[in-house]
């Protein structure tokens, strides 16, 4: 139980940076969607989809490889500096190649008139990839608060720069013409538009790298080629896994502009609407990400333990992940009529993707939980197989469903493709894992909580009355408390369970 308490504590701290940080970034979405139309915001969503893929490629599984080998090594510093040297060299080569091939890359991304967007995001993602290793080192050394502090500083700076460039600079130009022309005019001023979003991101990323200097300097650097080879042997399947996985996560945003070639404006509008509404569903992604930050160090440290305590810790981790994931789902769906005002009305048609994407992300989180069996048994190739399966399913379903639904609602096909694909790989991973590393998860109880949450969601939709909004919110709040009470009662949560027993 001590292991689970540690996992919960670390998840909460990492969640502070992940959830609070992403929430604050999420608050930029209203700014973007009110300043830019769906087609222009679609370029932002589209390019960030590609940068997510590039980040996984440039990390090539070294983050997980670092945890695996550092925990098993008598010299974790050598593992760290070897990993850091490797990722640093590949990130530098990426920036050089991007700069030399920029016109071709921009044309391939359907943005030949905006190579500056591609270059800024490319440099940003290369610096992010390099920074991920010092962040992994902080997690390895259990410096969760330092990790969270730097992450939140990054978010705060990024938000501040966005507000400065998008709102402050136009106001300054009107009040004091020429005062900021030394940097504002050469870039195009107000007409640079979404380009300022990428400038803000690049500056904040450089600031993060500078903040990580204490964990990059003042140490004895050791580079072991043989160790690197072993790490690459372990990590290359994770690279395939990661690329296939991130392509799957961003499939709709990446494919829609290519599916509707000749209708670029409509395609970008769909990507913009889809991306904006995924920002609401991203609450589940935040939770999964926070859990992931704590879970990878947790499973490798628990692997050193023996007996039933280790197995029980894995089972409890799965159960509580689903419990909290379902609570987040209900909370978001019950209060979606309020959350939708973070978007302009022109984007509300895409709210239909929110419940679908939230459940899809919950399936993906369960799949990540199940991944411990192939990471602990060094069968990382299975992770690659699962991700390739997910990629094939996602690609096929997108190519079928998106054009079948067509303009303007084709993005709905992408949401359902994610739902189906994540469910399938989750089920397949569980089935295969039973053979190689059987863990007695409490599927009966997990299934019961899931059924309860689905029933409460359906009931919450049924009791919604547009003419009595406050009454509807009260009813939904009571239903949310019913779910929390049921969990507290059956999981014997201190204080809450006693309170529920008294009420019952």
């Amino acid at each position: 139980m001590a292991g689970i308490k540690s996992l919960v504590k670390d998840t909460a701290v990492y969640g502070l940076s992940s959830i609070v940080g992403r929430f604050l970034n999420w608050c930029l979405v209203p700014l973007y969607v009110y300043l830019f139309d769906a087609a222009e915001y679609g370029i932002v969503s589209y390019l960030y989809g590609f940068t997510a893929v590039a980040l996984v490629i440039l990390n090539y599984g070294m983050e997980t490889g670092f945890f695996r080998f550092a925990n098993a090594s008598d010299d974790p510093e050598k593992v760290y500096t070897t990993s850091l040297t490797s990722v640093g060299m590949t990130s530098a080569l990426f920036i050089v190649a991007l700069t030399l091939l920029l016109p071709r890359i921009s044309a391939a991304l359907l943005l030949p008139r905006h190579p500056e967007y591609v270059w800024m995001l490319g440099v940003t993602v290369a610096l992010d990839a390099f920074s991920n290793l010092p962040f992994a080192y902080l997690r390895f050394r259990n410096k969760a608060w330092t990790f969270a502090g730097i992450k939140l500083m990054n978010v705060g700076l990024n938000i501040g720069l966005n507000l400065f460039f998008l709102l402050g600079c136009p106001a300054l130009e009107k009040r004091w013409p020429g005062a900021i022309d030394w940097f504002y005019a050469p870039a195009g001023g107000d007409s640079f538009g979404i380009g300022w979003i990428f400038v803000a991101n690049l500056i904040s990323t450089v600031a993060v790298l500078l903040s990580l200097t204490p964990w990059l300097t003042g140490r004895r650097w050791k580079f072991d080629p043989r160790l690197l080879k072993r790490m690459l042997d372990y990590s290359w399947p994770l690279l395939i896994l990661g690329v296939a996985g991130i392509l799957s996560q961003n499939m709709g945003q990446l494919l829609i502009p290519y599916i509707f070639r000749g209708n670029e404006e409509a395609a970008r509008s769909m990507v913009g609407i889809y991306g904006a509404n995924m920002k609401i569903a991203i609450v589940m992604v935040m939770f999964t990400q926070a859990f992931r930050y704590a879970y990878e160090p947790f499973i490798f440290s628990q692997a050193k333990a023996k007996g039933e305590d280790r197995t029980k810790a894995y089972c409890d981790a799965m159960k509580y992940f689903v419990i909290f994931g379902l609570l987040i789902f209900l909370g978001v769906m019950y209060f979606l009529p309020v959350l939708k005002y973070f978007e302009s009305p022109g984007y509300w048609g895409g709210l239909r993707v929110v419940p679908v994407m939230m459940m899809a992300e919950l399936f993906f989180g369960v799949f990540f939980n199940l991944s411990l069996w192939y990471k602990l048994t060094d069968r990382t190739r299975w992770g690659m197989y699962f991700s390739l399966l997910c990629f094939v399913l996602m690609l096929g379903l997108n190519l079928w469903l998106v054009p079948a639904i067509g303009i303007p609602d084709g993005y709905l096909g992408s949401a359902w493709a994610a739902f189906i694909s994540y469910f399938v790989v989750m089920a397949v991973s569980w089935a295969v894992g039973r053979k190689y590393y059987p863990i007695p998860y409490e599927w009966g109880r997990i299934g019961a909580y899931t059924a309860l949450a689905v029933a409460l969601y359906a009931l919450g939709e049924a009791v919604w009355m547009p003419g009595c909004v406050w009454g509807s919110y009260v009813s939904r709040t009571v239903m949310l408390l019913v779910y929390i009470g049921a969990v507290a009662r059956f999981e014997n949560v201190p204080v809450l369970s006693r309170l529920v027993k008294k009420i019952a």
Side-chain angles (χ1 to χ4, degrees), residues 88-155:
M89 291 175 63
T90 51
S91 294
L93 288 172
F94 176 80
I95 292 175
V96 171
L98 173 68
T99 303
L100 295 175
L101 301 173
L102 186 58
R104 294 183 182 181
I105 294 172
S106 301
L109 294 176
L110 308 180
L111 291 168
R113 291 181 294 176
H114 295 289
E116 70 278 10
Y117 297 170
V118 176
W119 188 85
M120 285 189 289
L121 277 182
V123 174
T124 300
V125 78
L127 297 179
D128 273 337
F130 181 67
S131 300
N132 274 352
L133 262 298
F135 276 123
Y137 183 80
L138 290 175
R139 291 158 59 197
F140 174 72
R141 293 299 185 190
N142 296 317
K143 295 185 179 294
W145 286 106
T146 304
F147 177 101
I150 297 174
K151 287 284 187 180
L152 287 174
M153 180 276 291
N154 175 35
V155 172

Side-chain angles (χ1 to χ4, degrees), residues 373-451:
W373 72 261
Y374 60 76
K375 290 179 180 178
L376 292 178
T377 60
D378 290 347
R379 291 185 172 91
T380 51
R381 284 181 175 81
W382 276 103
M384 177 183 68
Y385 300 151
F386 296 142
S387 284
L388 288 174
L389 170 62
C390 184
F391 173 77
V392 170
L393 285 170
M394 195 79 79
L395 179 62
L397 288 168
N398 268 276
L399 291 176
W400 170 40
L401 293 173
V402 171
I405 296 173
I407 298 172
D409 298 324
Y411 55 83
L412 291 173
S414 293
W416 281 108
F419 182 95
I420 297 167
S421 301
Y422 289 155
F423 179 82
V424 170
V425 294
M426 175 188 72
V428 173
S429 179
W430 169 74
V432 177
R434 292 179 66 193
K435 175 182 177 182
Y436 292 105
Y437 199 90
I439 297 175
Y441 293 114
E442 297 181 58
W443 293 118
R445 184 162 289 194
I446 290 171
Y449 290 140
T450 303

Side-chain angles (χ1 to χ4, degrees), residues 42 115 161 166 203 212 215 224 229 232 271 275 432 452 479 488:
L161 289 169
L166 298 178
I203 295 173
L212 291 169
W215 293 275
D224 187 337
K229 183 180 183 303
L232 291 174
V271 172
V432 177
L452 174 62
M479 293 175 200

